[in-house]
Amino acid sequence: MQKLSTKDLLSLEVYSQKREKIRKELIEIKKDRKIQIGENVILLFENKETIKYQIQEMLRVEKIFEEDGIQEELASYNPLIPDGCNLKATMLIEFPNAEERREKLTHLIGVEDKVWLQIGENERIFGIADEDLERSDEEKTSAVHFLRFELSNLMVKDLKSQVTLFAGISHPNYNVRTQEISQSISSSLSVDLD
């Protein structure tokens, strides 16, 4: 999949004018790109549109309009776009309140390395976590991680053929597997493999 460049981005002024419409469109896109694993973990699978939105939001919030700053954001976010043989996801660990979240994250150290997908009868694929920087330490894991799932040619073919897709986490303190994931999500993710 082709990476984003400055020509793909709107100016701050144009983005500001179209922001609400773009946000609504992105909410619709994300509906078919989200997998809930148990009560507390969400995988949000990124694509060119979700990353473009994140970049536009960063440029807006930070009021970045100079070429160097824009290139810096592109360099930071482009690696999160799938490249045709993998799926990339933001993993969110959510708990109702901050105190509970802090306590639970101490029991989930290493959970980011235990997240898997399974396409049909293929072996489970474990995500490769946080290639950009370490987000956990020996005291707790982070509430946000970035994962890359590398797929074999057969897995790509199977996902495009709409075989069953499952996800799960095999951590001692969070051992959960999803039901079969909906075809709308599988179909949306298979587009990333073109």
Side-chain angles (χ1 to χ4, degrees):
M1 189 169 278
Q2 195 173 11
K3 301 298 182 185
L4 293 164
S5 68
T6 51
K7 70 179 183 344
D8 297 308
L9 302 174
L10 300 173
S11 69
L12 292 178
E13 295 81 13
V14 172
Y15 180 69
S16 182
Q17 293 166 0
K18 296 182 176 187
R19 184 172 179 248
E20 192 56 35
K21 180 179 182 273
I22 292 169
R23 193 179 75 72
K24 286 178 182 173
E25 290 169 356
L26 195 71
I27 288 170
E28 286 303 308
I29 289 170
K30 284 184 176 184
K31 283 181 183 175
D32 286 334
R33 302 192 64 78
K34 183 169 87 169
I35 296 175
Q36 180 87 35
I37 304 176
E39 292 181 23
N40 308 104
V41 175
I42 293 173
L43 295 182
L44 177 59
F45 286 85
E46 306 294 357
N47 67 8
K48 198 170 183 178
E49 291 306 309
T50 65
I51 295 302
K52 181 179 174 181
Y53 177 77
Q54 289 181 50
I55 292 171
Q56 292 280 185
E57 281 294 301
M58 283 301 294
L59 297 176
R60 179 183 158 275
V61 169
E62 299 291 329
K63 295 179 178 41
I64 299 170
F65 56 88
E66 294 178 356
E67 182 67 23
D68 287 351
I70 295 169
Q71 288 301 329
E72 213 172 284
E73 294 302 318
L74 286 165
S76 295
Y77 282 95
N78 264 329
L80 301 177
I81 299 173
D83 63 19
C85 62
N86 54 40
L87 298 172
K88 297 185 179 181
T90 301
M91 174 183 173
L92 306 167
I93 304 173
E94 300 176 333
F95 288 93
N97 64 59
E99 190 173 311
E100 180 185 14
R101 181 174 54 248
R102 269 192 302 277
E103 193 268 324
K104 296 287 188 183
L105 291 176
T106 65
H107 298 289
L108 293 173
I109 295 169
V111 70
E112 65 274 14
D113 297 318
K114 305 297 182 185
V115 182
W116 55 266
L117 297 177
Q118 185 173 9
I119 302 166
E121 297 297 318
N122 293 288
E123 290 184 21
R124 290 178 176 176
I125 319 155
F126 284 84
I128 300 163
D130 303 325
E131 295 176 290
D132 57 340
L133 61 100
E134 189 59 45
R135 289 185 164 72
S136 298
D137 57 36
E138 54 281 338
E139 293 179 20
K140 69 176 182 64
T141 192
S142 173
V144 178
H145 295 279
F146 298 101
L147 305 176
R148 175 173 53 92
F149 296 92
E150 283 298 322
L151 281 61
S152 70
N153 290 337
L154 178 58
M155 291 173 190
V156 169
K157 180 178 168 257
D158 284 351
L159 188 59
K160 288 182 174 208
S161 302
Q162 300 184 340
V163 300
T164 56
L165 175 64
F166 296 94
I169 299 174
S170 58
H171 187 277
N173 297 321
Y174 200 91
N175 194 355
V176 183
R177 177 180 184 255
T178 64
Q179 299 294 324
E180 182 178 330
I181 293 165
S182 76
Q183 281 302 317
S184 62
I185 292 174
S186 294
S187 294
S188 178
L189 298 183
S190 71
V191 173
D192 298 343
L193 303 170
D194 291 335

mmCIF file of all heavy atoms in Angstrom, residues 33-74:
data_model
loop_
_atom_site.group_PDB
_atom_site.id
_atom_site.type_symbol
_atom_site.label_atom_id
_atom_site.label_comp_id
_atom_site.label_asym_id
_atom_site.label_seq_id
_atom_site.Cartn_x
_atom_site.Cartn_y
_atom_site.Cartn_z
ATOM 1 N N ARG A 33 -13.379 -1.930 11.319
ATOM 2 C CA ARG A 33 -11.941 -2.117 11.496
ATOM 3 C C ARG A 33 -11.590 -2.328 12.974
ATOM 4 O O ARG A 33 -10.448 -2.236 13.367
ATOM 5 C CB ARG A 33 -11.184 -0.910 10.940
ATOM 6 C CG ARG A 33 -11.511 -0.684 9.447
ATOM 7 C CD ARG A 33 -10.601 0.270 8.797
ATOM 8 N NE ARG A 33 -9.234 -0.221 8.768
ATOM 9 C CZ ARG A 33 -8.756 -1.135 7.923
ATOM 10 N NH1 ARG A 33 -9.543 -1.686 7.037
ATOM 11 N NH2 ARG A 33 -7.501 -1.493 7.968
ATOM 12 N N LYS A 34 -12.604 -2.614 13.778
ATOM 13 C CA LYS A 34 -12.406 -2.728 15.227
ATOM 14 C C LYS A 34 -12.770 -4.134 15.696
ATOM 15 O O LYS A 34 -13.825 -4.654 15.360
ATOM 16 C CB LYS A 34 -13.284 -1.692 15.927
ATOM 17 C CG LYS A 34 -13.130 -1.659 17.415
ATOM 18 C CD LYS A 34 -13.819 -0.457 18.018
ATOM 19 C CE LYS A 34 -15.261 -0.756 18.295
ATOM 20 N NZ LYS A 34 -15.922 0.257 19.112
ATOM 21 N N ILE A 35 -11.865 -4.728 16.473
ATOM 22 C CA ILE A 35 -12.116 -6.041 17.068
ATOM 23 C C ILE A 35 -11.979 -5.907 18.578
ATOM 24 O O ILE A 35 -10.931 -5.485 19.078
ATOM 25 C CB ILE A 35 -11.130 -7.105 16.534
ATOM 26 C CG1 ILE A 35 -11.331 -7.311 15.029
ATOM 27 C CG2 ILE A 35 -11.301 -8.418 17.295
ATOM 28 C CD1 ILE A 35 -10.324 -8.252 14.394
ATOM 29 N N GLN A 36 -13.032 -6.265 19.280
ATOM 30 C CA GLN A 36 -13.033 -6.271 20.743
ATOM 31 C C GLN A 36 -12.563 -7.647 21.200
ATOM 32 O O GLN A 36 -13.113 -8.667 20.786
ATOM 33 C CB GLN A 36 -14.454 -5.994 21.257
ATOM 34 C CG GLN A 36 -14.580 -5.966 22.756
ATOM 35 C CD GLN A 36 -14.284 -4.596 23.343
ATOM 36 O OE1 GLN A 36 -14.587 -3.581 22.753
ATOM 37 N NE2 GLN A 36 -13.676 -4.594 24.514
ATOM 38 N N ILE A 37 -11.551 -7.678 22.065
ATOM 39 C CA ILE A 37 -11.060 -8.941 22.615
ATOM 40 C C ILE A 37 -11.314 -8.890 24.118
ATOM 41 O O ILE A 37 -10.630 -8.168 24.853
ATOM 42 C CB ILE A 37 -9.565 -9.171 22.329
ATOM 43 C CG1 ILE A 37 -9.282 -9.101 20.823
ATOM 44 C CG2 ILE A 37 -9.124 -10.521 22.882
ATOM 45 C CD1 ILE A 37 -7.816 -9.221 20.460
ATOM 46 N N GLY A 38 -12.309 -9.623 24.566
ATOM 47 C CA GLY A 38 -12.700 -9.569 25.969
ATOM 48 C C GLY A 38 -13.311 -8.212 26.282
ATOM 49 O O GLY A 38 -13.716 -7.469 25.388
ATOM 50 N N GLU A 39 -13.373 -7.899 27.551
ATOM 51 C CA GLU A 39 -14.015 -6.648 27.969
ATOM 52 C C GLU A 39 -13.106 -5.434 27.882
ATOM 53 O O GLU A 39 -13.594 -4.308 27.828
ATOM 54 C CB GLU A 39 -14.517 -6.782 29.411
ATOM 55 C CG GLU A 39 -15.658 -7.755 29.572
ATOM 56 C CD GLU A 39 -16.129 -7.829 31.011
ATOM 57 O OE1 GLU A 39 -15.910 -6.865 31.779
ATOM 58 O OE2 GLU A 39 -16.717 -8.858 31.363
ATOM 59 N N ASN A 40 -11.785 -5.645 27.872
ATOM 60 C CA ASN A 40 -10.890 -4.512 28.078
ATOM 61 C C ASN A 40 -9.904 -4.212 26.970
ATOM 62 O O ASN A 40 -9.111 -3.281 27.100
ATOM 63 C CB ASN A 40 -10.106 -4.718 29.382
ATOM 64 C CG ASN A 40 -11.016 -5.010 30.551
ATOM 65 O OD1 ASN A 40 -11.121 -6.149 30.978
ATOM 66 N ND2 ASN A 40 -11.698 -3.994 31.043
ATOM 67 N N VAL A 41 -9.914 -4.974 25.883
ATOM 68 C CA VAL A 41 -8.929 -4.747 24.818
ATOM 69 C C VAL A 41 -9.639 -4.560 23.483
ATOM 70 O O VAL A 41 -10.529 -5.334 23.129
ATOM 71 C CB VAL A 41 -7.913 -5.901 24.723
ATOM 72 C CG1 VAL A 41 -6.972 -5.701 23.536
ATOM 73 C CG2 VAL A 41 -7.109 -6.016 26.017
ATOM 74 N N ILE A 42 -9.222 -3.528 22.781
ATOM 75 C CA ILE A 42 -9.722 -3.258 21.432
ATOM 76 C C ILE A 42 -8.527 -3.188 20.491
ATOM 77 O O ILE A 42 -7.512 -2.555 20.803
ATOM 78 C CB ILE A 42 -10.488 -1.919 21.378
ATOM 79 C CG1 ILE A 42 -11.771 -2.005 22.203
ATOM 80 C CG2 ILE A 42 -10.802 -1.522 19.935
ATOM 81 C CD1 ILE A 42 -12.494 -0.686 22.345
ATOM 82 N N LEU A 43 -8.666 -3.840 19.342
ATOM 83 C CA LEU A 43 -7.705 -3.673 18.252
ATOM 84 C C LEU A 43 -8.385 -2.815 17.202
ATOM 85 O O LEU A 43 -9.453 -3.169 16.702
ATOM 86 C CB LEU A 43 -7.314 -5.013 17.631
ATOM 87 C CG LEU A 43 -6.566 -6.006 18.499
ATOM 88 C CD1 LEU A 43 -6.232 -7.249 17.684
ATOM 89 C CD2 LEU A 43 -5.306 -5.401 19.090
ATOM 90 N N LEU A 44 -7.778 -1.693 16.885
ATOM 91 C CA LEU A 44 -8.280 -0.830 15.821
ATOM 92 C C LEU A 44 -7.288 -0.937 14.671
ATOM 93 O O LEU A 44 -6.146 -0.480 14.777
ATOM 94 C CB LEU A 44 -8.406 0.619 16.289
ATOM 95 C CG LEU A 44 -8.866 1.596 15.220
ATOM 96 C CD1 LEU A 44 -10.230 1.205 14.660
ATOM 97 C CD2 LEU A 44 -8.911 2.998 15.766
ATOM 98 N N PHE A 45 -7.718 -1.578 13.588
ATOM 99 C CA PHE A 45 -6.826 -1.816 12.460
ATOM 100 C C PHE A 45 -6.718 -0.559 11.609
ATOM 101 O O PHE A 45 -7.714 -0.001 11.176
ATOM 102 C CB PHE A 45 -7.304 -3.021 11.647
ATOM 103 C CG PHE A 45 -7.031 -4.304 12.365
ATOM 104 C CD1 PHE A 45 -7.925 -4.790 13.308
ATOM 105 C CD2 PHE A 45 -5.855 -4.993 12.144
ATOM 106 C CE1 PHE A 45 -7.657 -5.955 13.999
ATOM 107 C CE2 PHE A 45 -5.574 -6.154 12.831
ATOM 108 C CZ PHE A 45 -6.484 -6.639 13.770
ATOM 109 N N GLU A 46 -5.480 -0.157 11.404
ATOM 110 C CA GLU A 46 -5.198 1.086 10.691
ATOM 111 C C GLU A 46 -5.158 0.847 9.184
ATOM 112 O O GLU A 46 -4.857 -0.249 8.724
ATOM 113 C CB GLU A 46 -3.860 1.670 11.155
ATOM 114 C CG GLU A 46 -3.732 1.879 12.654
ATOM 115 C CD GLU A 46 -4.654 2.942 13.240
ATOM 116 O OE1 GLU A 46 -5.402 3.606 12.492
ATOM 117 O OE2 GLU A 46 -4.617 3.136 14.465
ATOM 118 N N ASN A 47 -5.451 1.901 8.448
ATOM 119 C CA ASN A 47 -5.254 1.911 7.006
ATOM 120 C C ASN A 47 -4.872 3.335 6.613
ATOM 121 O O ASN A 47 -4.676 4.198 7.474
ATOM 122 C CB ASN A 47 -6.485 1.389 6.246
ATOM 123 C CG ASN A 47 -7.703 2.294 6.359
ATOM 124 O OD1 ASN A 47 -7.653 3.404 6.879
ATOM 125 N ND2 ASN A 47 -8.817 1.801 5.859
ATOM 126 N N LYS A 48 -4.782 3.570 5.338
ATOM 127 C CA LYS A 48 -4.335 4.882 4.858
ATOM 128 C C LYS A 48 -5.268 5.996 5.349
ATOM 129 O O LYS A 48 -4.810 7.073 5.742
ATOM 130 C CB LYS A 48 -4.261 4.860 3.335
ATOM 131 C CG LYS A 48 -3.441 5.965 2.747
ATOM 132 C CD LYS A 48 -3.233 5.712 1.255
ATOM 133 C CE LYS A 48 -2.353 6.782 0.654
ATOM 134 N NZ LYS A 48 -2.099 6.535 -0.765
ATOM 135 N N GLU A 49 -6.570 5.738 5.376
ATOM 136 C CA GLU A 49 -7.523 6.771 5.785
ATOM 137 C C GLU A 49 -7.455 7.071 7.282
ATOM 138 O O GLU A 49 -7.542 8.226 7.689
ATOM 139 C CB GLU A 49 -8.956 6.372 5.393
ATOM 140 C CG GLU A 49 -9.195 6.393 3.899
ATOM 141 C CD GLU A 49 -8.828 7.722 3.252
ATOM 142 O OE1 GLU A 49 -9.274 8.777 3.731
ATOM 143 O OE2 GLU A 49 -8.073 7.706 2.256
ATOM 144 N N THR A 50 -7.322 6.032 8.112
ATOM 145 C CA THR A 50 -7.255 6.276 9.562
ATOM 146 C C THR A 50 -5.977 7.020 9.929
ATOM 147 O O THR A 50 -5.992 7.897 10.789
ATOM 148 C CB THR A 50 -7.363 4.967 10.374
ATOM 149 O OG1 THR A 50 -6.240 4.130 10.109
ATOM 150 C CG2 THR A 50 -8.650 4.218 10.075
ATOM 151 N N ILE A 51 -4.887 6.677 9.253
ATOM 152 C CA ILE A 51 -3.608 7.341 9.530
ATOM 153 C C ILE A 51 -3.626 8.773 8.998
ATOM 154 O O ILE A 51 -3.134 9.702 9.656
ATOM 155 C CB ILE A 51 -2.434 6.529 8.946
ATOM 156 C CG1 ILE A 51 -2.334 5.168 9.653
ATOM 157 C CG2 ILE A 51 -1.126 7.301 9.051
ATOM 158 C CD1 ILE A 51 -2.149 5.225 11.157
ATOM 159 N N LYS A 52 -4.211 8.969 7.840
ATOM 160 C CA LYS A 52 -4.325 10.330 7.294
ATOM 161 C C LYS A 52 -5.073 11.231 8.280
ATOM 162 O O LYS A 52 -4.675 12.368 8.534
ATOM 163 C CB LYS A 52 -5.042 10.290 5.939
ATOM 164 C CG LYS A 52 -5.199 11.638 5.283
ATOM 165 C CD LYS A 52 -5.890 11.471 3.934
ATOM 166 C CE LYS A 52 -6.213 12.806 3.307
ATOM 167 N NZ LYS A 52 -6.903 12.634 2.017
ATOM 168 N N TYR A 53 -6.155 10.714 8.825
ATOM 169 C CA TYR A 53 -6.929 11.480 9.809
ATOM 170 C C TYR A 53 -6.067 11.822 11.037
ATOM 171 O O TYR A 53 -6.089 12.954 11.518
ATOM 172 C CB TYR A 53 -8.166 10.678 10.231
ATOM 173 C CG TYR A 53 -8.988 11.358 11.294
ATOM 174 C CD1 TYR A 53 -9.825 12.427 10.980
ATOM 175 C CD2 TYR A 53 -8.933 10.936 12.611
ATOM 176 C CE1 TYR A 53 -10.577 13.059 11.959
ATOM 177 C CE2 TYR A 53 -9.678 11.559 13.603
ATOM 178 C CZ TYR A 53 -10.502 12.616 13.263
ATOM 179 O OH TYR A 53 -11.232 13.237 14.241
ATOM 180 N N GLN A 54 -5.305 10.842 11.532
ATOM 181 C CA GLN A 54 -4.453 11.099 12.698
ATOM 182 C C GLN A 54 -3.413 12.180 12.399
ATOM 183 O O GLN A 54 -3.145 13.044 13.241
ATOM 184 C CB GLN A 54 -3.773 9.809 13.153
ATOM 185 C CG GLN A 54 -4.733 8.830 13.785
ATOM 186 C CD GLN A 54 -4.033 7.578 14.254
ATOM 187 O OE1 GLN A 54 -3.017 7.644 14.944
ATOM 188 N NE2 GLN A 54 -4.562 6.422 13.887
ATOM 189 N N ILE A 55 -2.834 12.127 11.210
ATOM 190 C CA ILE A 55 -1.846 13.140 10.831
ATOM 191 C C ILE A 55 -2.511 14.510 10.752
ATOM 192 O O ILE A 55 -1.997 15.495 11.299
ATOM 193 C CB ILE A 55 -1.161 12.785 9.494
ATOM 194 C CG1 ILE A 55 -0.292 11.539 9.661
ATOM 195 C CG2 ILE A 55 -0.315 13.961 8.992
ATOM 196 C CD1 ILE A 55 0.246 10.977 8.353
ATOM 197 N N GLN A 56 -3.661 14.576 10.079
ATOM 198 C CA GLN A 56 -4.362 15.864 9.959
ATOM 199 C C GLN A 56 -4.698 16.432 11.337
ATOM 200 O O GLN A 56 -4.568 17.635 11.575
ATOM 201 C CB GLN A 56 -5.640 15.702 9.131
ATOM 202 C CG GLN A 56 -5.414 15.389 7.678
ATOM 203 C CD GLN A 56 -5.063 16.598 6.814
ATOM 204 O OE1 GLN A 56 -4.957 16.476 5.611
ATOM 205 N NE2 GLN A 56 -4.873 17.763 7.388
ATOM 206 N N GLU A 57 -5.121 15.562 12.256
ATOM 207 C CA GLU A 57 -5.444 16.018 13.612
ATOM 208 C C GLU A 57 -4.203 16.536 14.339
ATOM 209 O O GLU A 57 -4.258 17.549 15.028
ATOM 210 C CB GLU A 57 -6.113 14.894 14.417
ATOM 211 C CG GLU A 57 -7.572 14.706 14.086
ATOM 212 C CD GLU A 57 -8.433 15.892 14.495
ATOM 213 O OE1 GLU A 57 -8.468 16.245 15.687
ATOM 214 O OE2 GLU A 57 -9.085 16.480 13.601
ATOM 215 N N MET A 58 -3.084 15.827 14.191
ATOM 216 C CA MET A 58 -1.842 16.283 14.827
ATOM 217 C C MET A 58 -1.407 17.632 14.267
ATOM 218 O O MET A 58 -1.017 18.530 15.016
ATOM 219 C CB MET A 58 -0.718 15.255 14.635
ATOM 220 C CG MET A 58 -0.831 14.060 15.542
ATOM 221 S SD MET A 58 -0.825 14.498 17.303
ATOM 222 C CE MET A 58 0.816 15.141 17.492
ATOM 223 N N LEU A 59 -1.469 17.783 12.949
ATOM 224 C CA LEU A 59 -1.087 19.055 12.325
ATOM 225 C C LEU A 59 -1.986 20.177 12.838
ATOM 226 O O LEU A 59 -1.517 21.286 13.118
ATOM 227 C CB LEU A 59 -1.175 18.955 10.801
ATOM 228 C CG LEU A 59 -0.232 17.953 10.126
ATOM 229 C CD1 LEU A 59 -0.505 17.897 8.632
ATOM 230 C CD2 LEU A 59 1.226 18.280 10.409
ATOM 231 N N ARG A 60 -3.275 19.878 12.971
ATOM 232 C CA ARG A 60 -4.240 20.874 13.450
ATOM 233 C C ARG A 60 -3.967 21.262 14.907
ATOM 234 O O ARG A 60 -3.872 22.432 15.240
ATOM 235 C CB ARG A 60 -5.661 20.308 13.317
ATOM 236 C CG ARG A 60 -6.738 21.236 13.792
ATOM 237 C CD ARG A 60 -8.107 20.559 13.701
ATOM 238 N NE ARG A 60 -9.026 21.201 14.588
ATOM 239 C CZ ARG A 60 -9.170 20.936 15.874
ATOM 240 N NH1 ARG A 60 -8.448 19.997 16.438
ATOM 241 N NH2 ARG A 60 -10.031 21.587 16.609
ATOM 242 N N VAL A 61 -3.849 20.262 15.770
ATOM 243 C CA VAL A 61 -3.650 20.508 17.204
ATOM 244 C C VAL A 61 -2.332 21.237 17.459
ATOM 245 O O VAL A 61 -2.274 22.181 18.251
ATOM 246 C CB VAL A 61 -3.700 19.175 17.998
ATOM 247 C CG1 VAL A 61 -3.227 19.356 19.425
ATOM 248 C CG2 VAL A 61 -5.104 18.606 17.966
ATOM 249 N N GLU A 62 -1.281 20.786 16.782
ATOM 250 C CA GLU A 62 0.048 21.377 16.991
ATOM 251 C C GLU A 62 0.284 22.608 16.120
ATOM 252 O O GLU A 62 1.348 23.213 16.193
ATOM 253 C CB GLU A 62 1.133 20.329 16.704
ATOM 254 C CG GLU A 62 1.062 19.101 17.593
ATOM 255 C CD GLU A 62 1.415 19.391 19.036
ATOM 256 O OE1 GLU A 62 2.230 20.297 19.286
ATOM 257 O OE2 GLU A 62 0.865 18.704 19.919
ATOM 258 N N LYS A 63 -0.703 22.942 15.272
ATOM 259 C CA LYS A 63 -0.598 24.080 14.353
ATOM 260 C C LYS A 63 0.683 24.005 13.504
ATOM 261 O O LYS A 63 1.429 24.968 13.368
ATOM 262 C CB LYS A 63 -0.680 25.398 15.115
ATOM 263 C CG LYS A 63 -2.040 25.597 15.780
ATOM 264 C CD LYS A 63 -2.091 26.896 16.542
ATOM 265 C CE LYS A 63 -3.417 27.186 17.173
ATOM 266 N NZ LYS A 63 -4.150 26.123 17.820
ATOM 267 N N ILE A 64 0.891 22.832 12.942
ATOM 268 C CA ILE A 64 2.069 22.590 12.099
ATOM 269 C C ILE A 64 1.688 22.882 10.651
ATOM 270 O O ILE A 64 0.767 22.280 10.111
ATOM 271 C CB ILE A 64 2.551 21.135 12.235
ATOM 272 C CG1 ILE A 64 2.961 20.842 13.686
ATOM 273 C CG2 ILE A 64 3.700 20.858 11.268
ATOM 274 C CD1 ILE A 64 3.218 19.381 13.970
ATOM 275 N N PHE A 65 2.399 23.806 10.038
ATOM 276 C CA PHE A 65 2.128 24.128 8.635
ATOM 277 C C PHE A 65 3.417 24.232 7.816
ATOM 278 O O PHE A 65 3.374 24.353 6.603
ATOM 279 C CB PHE A 65 1.322 25.432 8.517
ATOM 280 C CG PHE A 65 1.967 26.609 9.183
ATOM 281 C CD1 PHE A 65 2.874 27.397 8.509
ATOM 282 C CD2 PHE A 65 1.674 26.911 10.514
ATOM 283 C CE1 PHE A 65 3.484 28.479 9.125
ATOM 284 C CE2 PHE A 65 2.279 27.985 11.142
ATOM 285 C CZ PHE A 65 3.179 28.769 10.445
ATOM 286 N N GLU A 66 4.560 24.163 8.484
ATOM 287 C CA GLU A 66 5.827 24.225 7.768
ATOM 288 C C GLU A 66 6.204 22.837 7.252
ATOM 289 O O GLU A 66 5.905 21.818 7.876
ATOM 290 C CB GLU A 66 6.926 24.783 8.670
ATOM 291 C CG GLU A 66 6.674 26.241 9.029
ATOM 292 C CD GLU A 66 7.725 26.819 9.967
ATOM 293 O OE1 GLU A 66 8.612 26.064 10.408
ATOM 294 O OE2 GLU A 66 7.638 28.019 10.239
ATOM 295 N N GLU A 67 6.870 22.796 6.105
ATOM 296 C CA GLU A 67 7.204 21.553 5.414
ATOM 297 C C GLU A 67 7.970 20.573 6.307
ATOM 298 O O GLU A 67 7.655 19.374 6.327
ATOM 299 C CB GLU A 67 8.013 21.858 4.140
ATOM 300 C CG GLU A 67 8.367 20.642 3.316
ATOM 301 C CD GLU A 67 7.166 19.957 2.670
ATOM 302 O OE1 GLU A 67 6.120 20.598 2.474
ATOM 303 O OE2 GLU A 67 7.281 18.750 2.368
ATOM 304 N N ASP A 68 8.955 21.050 7.054
ATOM 305 C CA ASP A 68 9.746 20.150 7.913
ATOM 306 C C ASP A 68 8.872 19.456 8.942
ATOM 307 O O ASP A 68 9.003 18.254 9.187
ATOM 308 C CB ASP A 68 10.869 20.918 8.623
ATOM 309 C CG ASP A 68 11.993 21.310 7.688
ATOM 310 O OD1 ASP A 68 11.998 20.857 6.531
ATOM 311 O OD2 ASP A 68 12.877 22.085 8.130
ATOM 312 N N GLY A 69 7.974 20.208 9.572
ATOM 313 C CA GLY A 69 7.079 19.634 10.575
ATOM 314 C C GLY A 69 6.120 18.620 9.979
ATOM 315 O O GLY A 69 5.849 17.570 10.572
ATOM 316 N N ILE A 70 5.611 18.915 8.799
ATOM 317 C CA ILE A 70 4.694 17.993 8.112
ATOM 318 C C ILE A 70 5.434 16.701 7.759
ATOM 319 O O ILE A 70 4.923 15.597 7.973
ATOM 320 C CB ILE A 70 4.082 18.657 6.861
ATOM 321 C CG1 ILE A 70 3.185 19.835 7.280
ATOM 322 C CG2 ILE A 70 3.308 17.638 6.031
ATOM 323 C CD1 ILE A 70 2.747 20.726 6.134
ATOM 324 N N GLN A 71 6.647 16.839 7.249
ATOM 325 C CA GLN A 71 7.438 15.653 6.897
ATOM 326 C C GLN A 71 7.740 14.802 8.131
ATOM 327 O O GLN A 71 7.754 13.567 8.055
ATOM 328 C CB GLN A 71 8.753 16.061 6.206
ATOM 329 C CG GLN A 71 8.566 16.580 4.802
ATOM 330 C CD GLN A 71 7.913 15.590 3.866
ATOM 331 O OE1 GLN A 71 8.058 14.375 3.993
ATOM 332 N NE2 GLN A 71 7.140 16.094 2.912
ATOM 333 N N GLU A 72 7.958 15.445 9.259
ATOM 334 C CA GLU A 72 8.209 14.734 10.511
ATOM 335 C C GLU A 72 6.990 13.888 10.905
ATOM 336 O O GLU A 72 7.131 12.731 11.302
ATOM 337 C CB GLU A 72 8.521 15.753 11.611
ATOM 338 C CG GLU A 72 9.494 15.273 12.642
ATOM 339 C CD GLU A 72 9.880 16.411 13.571
ATOM 340 O OE1 GLU A 72 10.690 17.278 13.164
ATOM 341 O OE2 GLU A 72 9.349 16.428 14.696
ATOM 342 N N GLU A 73 5.799 14.470 10.790
ATOM 343 C CA GLU A 73 4.568 13.733 11.110
ATOM 344 C C GLU A 73 4.368 12.571 10.141
ATOM 345 O O GLU A 73 3.999 11.469 10.554
ATOM 346 C CB GLU A 73 3.349 14.658 11.099
ATOM 347 C CG GLU A 73 3.348 15.709 12.190
ATOM 348 C CD GLU A 73 3.427 15.145 13.592
ATOM 349 O OE1 GLU A 73 2.755 14.134 13.881
ATOM 350 O OE2 GLU A 73 4.160 15.722 14.416
ATOM 351 N N LEU A 74 4.609 12.813 8.858
ATOM 352 C CA LEU A 74 4.489 11.739 7.873
ATOM 353 C C LEU A 74 5.456 10.596 8.192
ATOM 354 O O LEU A 74 5.079 9.420 8.134
ATOM 355 C CB LEU A 74 4.745 12.274 6.460
ATOM 356 C CG LEU A 74 3.629 13.125 5.859
ATOM 357 C CD1 LEU A 74 4.136 13.889 4.638
ATOM 358 C CD2 LEU A 74 2.417 12.273 5.507
#
